[in-house]
Amino acid sequence: MKKILLVLSVMLFVIGCSNKSENPGEVSKKIEVLSTRKVKKSLKNQNTVLIDTRSYDEYNGWDIKETGIQGHISGAYNLPASSLEHGDIEDFLDRKGITKDNEIILYGDDISMSEVLSDKGYNVYVYEKGIKEWTEKKNSIEKLPKYESLVPVSWVKKLLEGKEVPEYDGRPVKVINAGWGKKGKFHKNGHIPGSYYVHTGWFEVGPLWNRVSDENIKAELEKLGITKETLVIVYGEDPMPAARFAIICKYAGVEDVRVVNGGWKAWQEAGYSTEEGIEYPQPVDDFGTEVPGNPDIIIDLPEAENYLKSDQSDLVSIRSWKEYIGKTSGYDYIKPRGRIRGDKWGMGGSDPWHLEDYRAEYGTYMRPYNEILEMWEDLKINTDKNIAFYCGTGWRASEVLFYADAMGLDKVSLYDGGWKEWSENPETENEILKGEPEKLNEEKY
């Protein structure tokens, strides 16, 4: 009896394996492979969606595999094949507005997603020749306008190893691990080799948690060995403090500031070597220019009031819905609840410590920029206007501002004081609203 069961088990295993492709990159016979001509014809149908299954960085414009191609097929969504390991693929598609009623065309180096989606009942096709043939036939591609602002971990690694990398002009480099905590415990426990720790509290101060004085910003950057000509590359366990420090550097006048897309998590998942302990950089005598060198990237309360009065400007709240309608302030150190009268809601996340609406499926990467633009269009946020982002005290809004800048928007800024300053200032504390708006983003100041 045991022998019979053993034979049956082996037969079932062989049959199960024979139903799968021997090559993970090979397309199943039940899934139709489309030519370039058929893809172009299919895309004329509004029900058809094109999905790029390569990495977020390749989609943005980084030529990681040195193919000579930068960006993605115009109009394509981005959902890396590796997303299959990070959550429910159906939730990811639903977030992009893609349903089983759509016809989905996949392209990329790894089209293993095709069988998974097909098994779940989606209408799936594969463009096997992908972006290589697409570009060879002179069809249009696009990329994140300032893709170099968000660097892949592979690029950082090569740069630190002294290898030649694109989008680098040879200037001095400082890699910064930004977060909260004077002692830098999380940095001591592990960080990118050669990187230095920054406590965001060195650059912002209570009770409002606005930026410190221009003189102090300059002094702190000099302690870190940073001048206006330094290439500053920032990462963190969370993108928020990294972006907060990056915006401060831009404000000060640092000419080249980058954020690591995916941050510390991406570095670890890539399996790159790490370092423990903490070291401090050699200070410099002078930052190289007066601070602020780029004052327009941050506005304060008087300018925020003027934004609300102008038809050419919008003040956009990057906060959770519960914060926006006044169910919670979001913070134990902020008592007032509600929103600024006349602002617009730009979405945010589930609470003050998360920013899911601006993050990709992995949670630490920038959300594909075309999805952000679609979200803003639905929210009646006009990117041709002057836009100042605000949140509770500046972290979430800084991250969104950095993404907006990477998208090539040149009239964007941070309202540094945010909800805390506005709601607690005697001159503006009464200019607030609570409850759900009758018409979202159409309230007047």
Side-chain angles (χ1 to χ4, degrees), residues 61 271 313 345 379 396 412:
S313 305
W345 186 51
L379 292 168
R396 287 173 287 178
V412 287

Side-chain angles (χ1 to χ4, degrees), residues 307-322:
Y307 266 53
L308 293 170
K309 296 172 184 176
S310 172
D311 292 334
Q312 302 304 312
S313 305
D314 279 332
L315 191 61
V316 177
S317 174
I318 306 300
R319 302 158 73 212
S320 68
W321 181 245
K322 287 183 178 180

Side-chain angles (χ1 to χ4, degrees), residues 43 186 349:
L43 290 177
F186 70 87

